[in-house]
Amino acid sequence: MNGRNREGSAYCFREASINRHRRFPGVTRLALAMLAIILILCIAGIVITFVVSRNTNEREIAAAETRWRMYGFTHYVMTLEELNCTVEIEVSDKRVVRVTPLERCQRDGRTVEDLFTLARRDGDTGMRCITLGCACDDRLLIESAFHPTLGYPTSIYVRIEARPNWQHLDAWRYLVVHGRLPACNMMTGDKLLRVLDLRSFP
């Protein structure tokens, strides 16, 4: 190969290398844009699902609360089991006036209104900034069942799970640095509240 051919080959190689470097930034930008779009769509889907679920839950609670108020119990006794502890609670004018343990345990008294308030906490934050700075929060996941006639909650299942906190920059920093969701895997907790009996007092 003569010198002119070598120079021509070197020139072609340099041009190909330059063109390749020119193309890659565009491809990188396109990949980043697609990743951003996918992330936005995923987050939007999660938000929409959460809002629809929360609205459905609120309608169910509101309907049950309407049934409860329709009967107008101002004085009642409720037998409540919570964390394997059963107590009898007397309520008058929405205030606890007596708590009687039915076994060797102790629990604070609750009213039916307190149970409705707890049922509405589905999706709320239990504890903030539990790990990785503020990348993770404890979230309350609550499933409730209601008396078909009287409306009061018959059972409330409460579960606490660590979830990414997308309202804080720490969660986004973790995603960018590690390329995955914040590792919020920690111990979960749960409890079940059951109304075993409720009767009205005159």
Side-chain angles (χ1 to χ4, degrees):
M1 182 181 290
N2 59 34
R4 184 173 298 176
N5 286 339
R6 286 197 204 96
E7 289 177 6
S9 298
Y11 175 79
C12 290
F13 177 78
R14 283 196 302 273
E15 282 297 308
S17 177
I18 290 170
N19 288 336
R20 194 162 56 245
H21 284 297
R22 284 175 180 167
R23 286 196 303 270
F24 283 154
V27 172
T28 303
R29 284 196 295 270
L30 179 61
L32 289 174
M34 290 179 65
L35 179 61
I37 291 171
I38 291 170
L39 284 173
I40 290 170
L41 290 175
C42 288
I43 293 170
I46 292 170
V47 170
I48 291 170
T49 301
F50 173 77
V51 170
V52 170
S53 173
R54 189 145 193 170
N55 287 343
T56 302
N57 188 45
E58 176 55 34
R59 285 196 298 271
E60 185 179 2
I61 295 172
E65 198 169 26
T66 298
R67 295 197 302 274
W68 169 251
R69 289 177 177 170
M70 184 176 66
Y71 282 90
F73 289 179
T74 58
H75 190 193
Y76 58 89
V77 170
M78 175 172 61
T79 304
L80 179 67
E81 180 186 64
E82 179 179 354
L83 293 174
N84 298 318
C85 177
T86 305
V87 295
E88 188 177 78
I89 305 166
E90 183 179 351
V91 177
S92 180
D93 294 326
K94 299 182 181 181
R95 291 186 307 109
V96 174
V97 296
R98 177 178 58 86
V99 178
T100 305
L102 300 183
E103 49 194 290
R104 296 177 63 86
C105 61
Q106 186 61 52
R107 286 285 177 269
D108 293 335
R110 295 178 185 265
T111 66
V112 168
E113 285 73 22
D114 292 333
L115 296 179
F116 277 122
T117 299
L118 177 60
R120 282 194 165 92
R121 293 202 63 193
D122 182 39
D124 282 358
T125 300
M127 185 178 295
R128 299 187 182 279
C129 303
I130 59 171
T131 187
L132 302 175
C134 281
C136 301
D137 286 343
D138 266 342
R139 294 297 173 88
L140 301 178
L141 306 175
I142 299 177
E143 298 176 12
S144 307
F146 305 93
H147 194 281
T149 306
L150 301 180
Y152 64 83
T154 54
S155 69
I156 300 178
Y157 174 68
V158 182
R159 181 176 174 84
I160 301 175
E161 285 187 1
R163 296 284 184 87
N165 176 18
W166 299 115
Q167 296 180 1
H168 200 282
L169 284 176
D170 285 351
W172 293 101
R173 286 194 196 99
Y174 189 96
L175 178 63
V176 171
V177 171
H178 299 278
R180 62 179 187 272
L181 298 178
C184 298
N185 299 329
M186 298 181 68
M187 290 181 62
T188 60
D190 61 356
K191 68 176 179 178
L192 176 66
L193 293 81
R194 292 195 306 150
V195 176
L196 305 179
D197 183 54
L198 189 147
R199 60 188 185 276
S200 177
F201 271 12

